[in-house]
Amino acid sequence: MGGVATTAAEEIRVGARVVRVSSPDKPYFPERGLTKRDVVGYFLAVGDGILRALWNRPTMLERWPRGVFAGARIGTRQDNRGDAFYQKRVPAGAPDWVRTAHLTFPSGRTADEIAPTELAVVAWAANLGTLRFHPWPVSATDVDHPDQLRIDLDPMPGVGFDQVVPVAHEVRAFLDELGLVGYPKTTGGRGLHVYLSIEPRWSFGECRRAVLALGRETQRRRPDLVTTTWWRDQRDRPVFVDYNQMARDHTMTSAYSIRPTPAALVSAPLDWSELDDARPEDFDVLSMPARFAGRGDPHAGLDERRFSLEPLLELADREGLEAPPER
């Protein structure tokens, strides 16, 4: 179980704000000797990167207020007795400088989620125990039309990262053929994400349809590795292209988020040239700040150009793929 903190709260200046860090010596990753202070410091060290990933996006918080310890688990809708929890709605008592976005979920329920526009919001959330940030693929100014297409390459149990990498290369090759530019990142686990900035013109259903079309094409090119079969027990290939991650209210872990496992690995943005030599364990809370300081953010150019989904939607039309319902 997490240790007992004895150190008084500290105040740190982040830009124009003062952020209070309570119990800064509280163990967060005891196997790595990392405290809450270390976690907050990590997010500040990669500040430009994490803020770029979250900028003005509705963001769900994954909070581990007791840190990560043996047997720790996250609560679910069915069982909310976990040591950690997901928080969609802006926490009570949030400072007035924490901006929000109003969302409607497929159930019809609504919520105001945080939408970070300054690094102090990230530090404030980290003080609440947030390790992983889950931003929507939309801007707070238009929550119904994604401006990012997110491609989740999800390995089946027992499948190694080395089998996911060639799938990512195939995705890149196909995007290149269409004149589209994707940006890869590790998940902090065995999977990979590829992000593509798009014009905010299409619905979540159309975006999901576009990723399904891409997944089917990738499956044709690498039938030995890729599946788009939704039912897990029917998948007979190592890597699933999870097109459902583009459904409304489905989010993916942001770049630079910390995976809540003892090793404190992080979701690392990569250049395509790094992919063959990279390993998920290369990137953690201790190593990432030096990497970031030395080479910056590989995803710095992600939002510089927005692409049309028409090439992928034309492929979906040829394949007869229907757009799923919005809600």
Side-chain angles (χ1 to χ4, degrees):
M1 184 175 293
V4 177
T6 58
T7 303
E10 297 176 352
E11 291 187 340
I12 57 173
R13 180 163 289 279
V14 185
R17 314 296 183 188
V18 174
V19 178
R20 183 176 183 271
V21 180
S22 61
S23 304
D25 288 334
K26 187 174 188 177
Y28 261 33
F29 292 90
E31 292 190 18
R32 301 299 305 273
L34 297 171
T35 64
K36 180 194 276 193
R37 181 191 292 109
D38 296 321
V39 168
V40 174
Y42 160 77
F43 283 122
L44 295 180
V46 298
D48 287 348
I50 184 75
L51 189 57
R52 182 177 292 110
L54 304 179
W55 181 264
N56 206 32
R57 297 188 182 281
T59 300
M60 180 176 66
L61 307 178
E62 184 178 332
R63 294 175 57 183
W64 292 77
R66 300 172 65 194
V68 177
F69 53 88
R73 60 186 182 88
I74 195 162
T76 64
R77 284 183 182 175
Q78 293 74 29
D79 181 1
N80 63 3
R81 296 172 295 175
D83 306 285
F85 57 95
Y86 297 105
Q87 181 147 22
K88 293 184 176 181
R89 291 167 175 80
V90 60
D96 58 9
W97 40 264
V98 176
R99 296 187 183 182
T100 61
H102 189 71
L103 298 171
T104 300
F105 302 114
S107 64
R109 295 177 180 175
T110 63
D112 293 315
E113 286 193 3
I114 73 164
T117 55
E118 53 186 300
L119 187 55
V121 176
V122 177
W124 163 80
N127 177 61
L128 298 179
T130 303
L131 299 181
R132 290 202 286 197
F133 295 84
H134 299 265
W136 284 47
V138 301
S139 167
T141 59
D142 184 354
V143 298
D144 294 317
H145 299 95
D147 62 0
Q148 282 183 347
L149 200 71
R150 298 173 176 178
I151 303 158
D152 182 13
L153 306 181
D154 184 15
M156 294 291 288
V159 173
F161 185 76
D162 59 335
Q163 290 183 278
V164 184
V165 168
V167 178
H169 282 308
E170 202 65 62
V171 167
R172 183 198 186 190
F174 181 47
L175 292 176
D176 283 348
E177 292 171 20
L178 299 179
L180 308 175
V181 179
Y183 287 74
K185 71 179 183 70
T186 70
T187 64
R190 294 173 292 113
L192 279 166
H193 296 156
V194 179
Y195 282 18
L196 170 72
S197 282
I198 60 173
E199 300 166 357
R201 296 167 44 197
W202 294 277
S203 68
F204 282 91
E206 289 298 280
C207 290
R208 180 169 174 255
R209 184 169 170 252
V211 177
L212 176 57
L214 180 146
R216 292 280 179 86
E217 177 62 23
T218 308
Q219 180 176 328
R220 274 191 289 271
R221 297 180 180 211
R222 289 304 304 261
D224 56 324
L225 291 176
V226 178
T227 181
T228 55
T229 300
W230 171 241
W231 300 109
R232 181 178 288 267
D233 60 0
Q234 296 176 13
R235 297 176 197 162
D236 58 355
R237 295 159 193 166
V239 181
F240 173 51
V241 179
D242 190 354
Y243 49 90
N244 283 295
Q245 292 293 359
M246 283 306 302
R248 184 185 293 269
D249 195 27
H250 283 227
T251 58
M252 288 161 60
T253 302
S254 79
Y256 301 103
S257 283
I258 309 171
R259 194 171 182 87
T261 57
L265 303 184
V266 303
S267 178
L270 300 172
D271 286 323
W272 286 106
S273 61
E274 299 179 288
L275 195 53
D276 287 332
D277 295 326
R279 296 293 179 269
E281 58 271 20
D282 295 339
F283 312 106
D284 61 24
V285 168
L286 294 174
S287 65
M288 181 56 79
R291 169 181 164 85
F292 192 87
R295 58 102 55 238
D297 182 10
H299 283 196
L302 174 59
D303 295 323
E304 290 180 358
R305 181 182 176 190
R306 299 202 175 278
F307 294 91
S308 172
L309 269 190
E310 289 172 359
L312 285 171
L313 292 177
E314 289 170 2
L315 175 61
D317 289 342
R318 293 196 297 271
E319 293 292 316
L321 303 176
E322 295 183 1
E326 277 293 301
R327 304 185 188 280

